[in-house]
Amino acid sequence: MSTHDALEDPRNRDIRIYVDGEILHRDAAKVSVYDSGFLLGDGVWEGLRVHKGRVCFLEEHLDRLFEAARYIDLDIGKTRDELTEAVQATLAANDMEDNVHIRLMVTRGRKRKPFQHPHLSVFGSTLVIIAEHSEPSGDVIDRGIRLHTVPHHRGLPLTQDAKLNSHSKLNCIIALNHALRAGADEALMLDPFGFVNTTNACNFFIVRKGEVWTSTGDYCLNGITRRKVIGLCRAHEIPVFERNYSLVDAYGADEAFLTGTFGAQTPVYEIDGREIGGCKPGPVFLRIRELYRGLIEQDIRQGS
Ligand SMILES: Cc1ncc(COP(=O)(O)O)c(C=O)c1O
């Protein structure tokens, strides 16, 4: 079980992928072995969802992408409008309208030599857009996610800032491997002080006595779904706190759930072998999920 489980869709065997201005069959879509992303994980990306013809919360995703690119000194080489056009062209080439997941990736581009110096990336950025038919599996709501707390923590911004949605995800992958070996589905990661922070691929929330708690927002990706959930709680008088809390609070929670663009909100039914919420979706989770669906509908209406 994973938060990214999607129903198998045979149409994905023949999708068209955007690679630097060309839209090619997936078997022909390739980047160079000299690409900075392949060689070094030197790039940034966004995961987006399309509902009823609308790329939801696109502006927020572009904000985050450009902010990350600015931080790592990567010239995307395209404006926001040009990126939006490239996304739309990819969707049009695939005749995609609904239940689509997009991975938009920008790297520092092809290098002259296989070394890390950014000045060796002399050919301009590489832009790849993969759009797949992708309907989240309903099983995940029935079965819930089992988390395992791993020794690998989210770093301080002094190292690789967790706010970067970077191509190099090794910290998260090592954490996930550890959780998988422990028989869980995903990794729960702590911050450098031992407070509960996030998972390897999603943001993490708990519910205690009707209150929604999530980490302070330090040391984790500034998730767009996370921010939307906090906003919805505030707008609908569900008490919500961005605060430090420990595994004592997490094990004792009435409900726990994950947030991310792909799965929206996904319930957690077990943390380190402790059952959470009687292994069924809790009332606060269900309410937030309903409110979030309403927000998506609103975003779709704004686009039409
Ligand atoms: C480590 C991590 N945390 C959280 C998220 C969820 O962020 P968002 O809600 O913007 O999809 C992601 C998604 O890419 C992620 O990689």
Side-chain angles (χ1 to χ4, degrees):
M1 194 56 35
S2 139
T3 41
H4 291 83
D5 278 354
L7 300 176
E8 214 31 59
D9 193 320
R11 291 175 295 175
N12 287 328
R13 285 188 214 127
D14 282 312
I15 51 169
R16 304 275 182 288
I17 294 175
Y18 180 103
V19 186
D20 278 337
E22 288 187 281
I23 299 185
L24 304 160
H25 186 274
R26 62 180 293 161
D27 296 342
K30 301 214 167 24
V31 293
S32 164
V33 292
Y34 279 82
D35 192 85
S36 309
F38 174 75
L39 282 174
L40 304 148
D42 185 2
V44 284
W45 60 275
E46 285 296 316
L48 303 124
R49 271 200 90 71
V50 181
H51 295 282
K52 299 186 186 156
R54 167 88 166 162
V55 185
C56 286
F57 313 134
L58 177 63
E59 293 308 318
E60 285 98 324
H61 283 282
L62 290 177
D63 285 347
R64 188 169 65 184
L65 184 77
F66 275 91
E67 194 169 68
R70 181 178 167 86
Y71 180 73
I72 66 167
D73 255 329
L74 189 165
D75 179 6
I76 292 179
K78 289 214 176 319
T79 64
R80 292 169 76 98
D81 285 350
E82 286 166 344
L83 282 185
T84 305
E85 277 163 28
V87 167
Q88 295 299 353
T90 312
L91 293 173
N94 287 291
D95 205 11
M96 286 171 167
E97 271 279 313
D98 202 14
N99 278 321
V100 175
H101 198 77
I102 296 175
R103 196 168 176 109
L104 186 160
M105 294 161 276
V106 191
T107 76
R108 207 177 298 275
R110 198 149 52 86
K111 296 183 96 77
R112 220 159 34 79
K113 286 178 172 294
F115 304 118
Q116 78 170 232
H117 202 297
H119 292 170
L120 293 169
S121 299
V122 290
F123 303 101
S125 68
T126 300
L127 171 63
V128 174
I129 303 169
I130 302 177
E132 289 196 342
H133 299 283
S134 160
E135 187 169 351
S137 157
D139 281 2
V140 81
I141 304 290
D142 299 331
R143 293 180 48 195
I145 293 292
R146 290 164 307 154
L147 295 179
H148 178 77
T149 308
V150 297
H152 321 90
H153 64 72
R154 309 297 294 191
L156 291 160
L158 294 170
T159 53
Q160 191 169 308
D161 198 316
K163 298 221 163 1
L164 296 171
N165 219 0
S166 131
H167 274 227
S168 58
K169 282 274 170 193
L170 261 188
N171 189 31
C172 297
I173 293 165
I174 293 165
L176 176 57
N177 276 339
H178 197 91
L180 295 176
R181 278 185 178 269
D185 303 310
E186 288 191 22
L188 184 60
M189 300 177 79
L190 308 179
D191 74 14
F193 306 100
F195 295 114
V196 174
N197 192 259
T198 188
T199 74
N200 56 286
C202 292
N203 292 115
F204 180 67
F205 287 74
I206 59 172
V207 181
R208 291 175 59 89
K209 300 197 188 319
E211 292 179 356
V212 175
W213 293 11
T214 193
S215 72
T216 58
D218 296 329
Y219 320 111
C220 62
L221 186 71
N222 41 349
I224 289 164
T225 325
R226 173 187 189 276
R227 180 79 10 237
K228 298 287 178 197
V229 164
I230 293 169
L232 284 170
C233 288
R234 289 195 179 128
H236 294 272
E237 287 168 14
I238 302 169
V240 61
F241 300 94
E242 291 177 84
R243 53 169 293 170
N244 285 326
Y245 63 93
S246 73
L247 283 173
V248 175
D249 308 300
Y251 292 166
D254 304 317
E255 301 175 38
F257 61 92
L258 308 175
T259 65
T261 296
F262 177 86
Q265 294 79 36
T266 309
V268 170
Y269 293 160
E270 196 184 296
I271 307 174
D272 300 335
R274 279 85 167 170
E275 269 187 25
I276 304 289
C279 298
K280 55 181 188 333
V284 177
F285 165 79
L286 289 172
R287 172 132 193 258
I288 289 173
R289 197 167 64 139
E290 214 37 53
L291 291 170
Y292 187 78
R293 281 191 182 143
L295 196 67
I296 298 273
E297 288 297 330
Q298 196 182 318
D299 196 60
I300 294 164
R301 279 197 300 278
Q302 269 166 15
S304 56

